[in-house]
Amino acid sequence: MAVDKNMNILIVDDYKTMLRILRNLLRQLGFSNIEDATDGGMALQKLRGAEIGLVISDWNMEPMTGIELLREVRGDDKLKHLPFIMITAESKTENVVAAKEAGVSNYIVKPFNAETLKAKIASVLGDF
Amino acid sequence: MTGGNASAALEAQLEDLRATHGDAVSIREIGGVVENLLAATKGDLMAADITLYSEMESLARYIHAAKAEIAALCPDEVKAEYLPTAADELDAIIAATADATHTIMDAAEKLDGVIETLDGNAQETVMTATTQIYEACGFQDVTGQRIGKVIKALKDIEIKVDALVAAFGEEIAEFKAKEQPGNTGEDRSQSDEDLLEGPQLEGKGRTQAEIDALLDDFD
């Protein structure tokens, strides 16, 4: 199935620089409808108010972290099947295991490159 | 008189009294026994006391020296001057790298904006270059997080130093009173090393215009 490049993607990070980097890289990959949020709470509000096709979220944010957001998403009947990629500097095994147990779709370790971002999105949404 | 000898002598004295007087012993003779008993006991207690006092004195000297050494480290200065300065410098690094990153991305986005106007090969080249710039800009996020951890560690140290300052306030004040300029005869004029504290934090140094004006004042 072809990936709908017009889908809304929600990027979540408390570093504005990282939001800008992700937005630019996603645009170069052909995605133009990109929403952003600077913490899990704001992200959750956006997820409940708009049709989002993919979440790419940082882990370490306040007051609601990325993994708390993920658990909220997986616990919500309307959002539980939403593709969710964690993109974080947390690279310990226990982090990856915890994210997997919480239902993450894929996991990107910072610093990352465009190729990795593309590959992980493809693994979740299909080739594009 | 040692413990063993004292006991034997007392025993002999009591035996002698019993043999001589039976149960009727004069007050004066009982006084003599008690005097001997006290003398023997006092001797033993004094020996133990001397050892204990000597240990305590040595411990007190050790504690006093340790307190003086801690006071000489001036933990109050570490808290008041060095720790906040270190945290401010690190905050300044985060701010400066964020500014630089945004400037770099502004330029890359401008290039991205003209990609559509370029031909095939040129378009590919510029696109690859801007992608690499965006990827490289990710360093700011990672370094920012690492520096954030260092700032947190400094705050933890500050809490420990606070406790030290509270515990050794008196000793620190005493040490400082002794070290006042004039009390030590030390030369307090500014050395070349004292002048090297840059780069200054925002608002702490002179702007280029102010420096130019200052230089003009010399002419």
Side-chain angles (χ1 to χ4, degrees):
Chain A
M1 193 173 68
V3 172
D4 175 14
K5 289 200 170 174
N6 287 318
M7 73 163 66
N8 287 316
I9 297 180
L10 178 63
I11 52 176
V12 193
D13 202 304
D14 55 350
Y15 263 80
K16 296 257 166 70
T17 315
M18 185 47 66
L19 289 177
R20 198 170 165 187
I21 291 168
L22 277 170
R23 182 180 288 277
N24 282 322
L25 291 174
L26 288 168
R27 210 187 54 244
Q28 288 193 332
L29 292 175
F31 297 96
S32 50
N33 296 322
I34 301 154
E35 296 280 325
D36 62 45
T38 51
D39 76 87
M42 190 194 291
L44 206 54
Q45 273 187 339
K46 290 204 170 187
L47 285 170
R48 286 174 176 152
E51 195 68 30
I52 302 288
L54 170 66
V55 180
I56 301 176
S57 175
D58 183 29
W59 182 318
N60 192 356
M61 298 176 291
E62 286 178 353
M64 187 191 280
T65 65
I67 196 147
E68 287 166 347
L69 171 65
L70 174 58
R71 290 190 188 116
E72 288 284 338
V73 166
R74 293 293 178 249
D76 185 310
D77 277 347
K78 286 184 184 161
L79 301 172
K80 64 182 176 190
H81 298 300
L82 186 64
F84 193 115
I85 296 176
M86 192 74 86
I87 186 162
T88 173
E90 307 293 342
S91 57
K92 289 185 295 184
T93 306
E94 46 266 48
N95 287 96
V96 182
V97 170
K100 194 65 197 163
E101 283 173 356
V104 80
S105 311
N106 219 313
Y107 198 100
I108 300 175
V109 178
K110 292 175 182 175
F112 63 98
N113 58 31
E115 202 177 319
T116 304
L117 180 64
K118 184 179 179 183
K120 298 298 182 186
I121 293 174
S123 78
V124 170
L125 300 179
D127 286 335
F128 60 94
Chain B
M1 193 188 293
T2 65
N5 288 345
S7 174
L10 280 168
E11 200 70 45
Q13 193 177 6
L14 286 172
E15 201 54 47
D16 187 39
L17 283 170
R18 203 173 289 122
T20 315
H21 305 285
D23 289 335
V25 181
S26 76
I27 295 294
R28 190 179 53 81
E29 278 160 333
I30 290 173
V33 172
V34 170
E35 218 174 282
N36 284 340
L37 183 65
L38 278 176
T41 312
K42 196 177 173 193
D44 276 357
L45 279 179
M46 278 178 70
D49 283 350
I50 286 167
T51 312
L52 184 64
Y53 291 154
S54 155
E55 287 296 326
M56 283 174 74
E57 198 187 345
S58 138
L59 193 59
R61 268 201 307 272
Y62 183 81
I63 291 170
H64 187 74
K67 282 169 99 173
E69 278 175 32
I70 290 168
L73 292 173
C74 298
D76 59 331
E77 282 176 18
V78 173
K79 176 187 155 44
E81 194 179 328
Y82 300 113
L83 288 178
T85 304
D88 288 348
E89 295 284 352
L90 293 172
D91 278 337
I93 290 173
I94 293 176
T97 54
D99 278 353
T101 306
H102 283 287
T103 305
I104 292 166
M105 281 205 290
D106 285 344
E109 283 168 6
K110 277 182 191 151
L111 290 175
D112 255 353
V114 299
I115 277 180
E116 298 299 323
T117 65
L118 301 173
D119 296 333
N121 264 352
Q123 198 176 70
E124 181 67 30
T125 306
V126 174
M127 171 83 101
T128 305
T130 54
T131 301
Q132 285 171 342
I133 292 170
Y134 296 140
E135 288 170 356
C137 285
F139 87 93
Q140 202 266 325
D141 178 60
V142 177
T143 52
Q145 289 189 49
R146 287 197 192 286
I147 292 170
K149 281 164 77 175
V150 177
I151 292 173
K152 190 186 168 300
L154 284 174
K155 284 183 180 157
D156 290 345
I157 292 169
E158 196 175 353
I159 291 168
K160 309 270 183 211
V161 173
D162 257 344
L164 265 184
V165 172
F168 294 98
E170 231 170 79
E171 285 78 8
I172 294 166
E174 221 169 85
F175 173 79
K176 289 202 163 172
K178 279 187 211 154
E179 293 292 306
Q180 283 289 325
N183 288 359
T184 60
E186 191 188 332
D187 178 12
R188 304 293 292 180
S189 61
Q190 205 167 40
S191 70
D192 282 354
E193 205 178 314
D194 293 334
L195 290 169
L196 294 176
E197 285 188 343
Q200 266 63 45
L201 293 169
E202 190 75 25
K204 298 279 183 187
R206 301 272 186 186
T207 64
Q208 184 59 55
E210 286 169 340
I211 288 167
D212 291 345
L214 193 60
L215 289 174
D216 286 345
D217 284 346
F218 283 90
D219 295 334

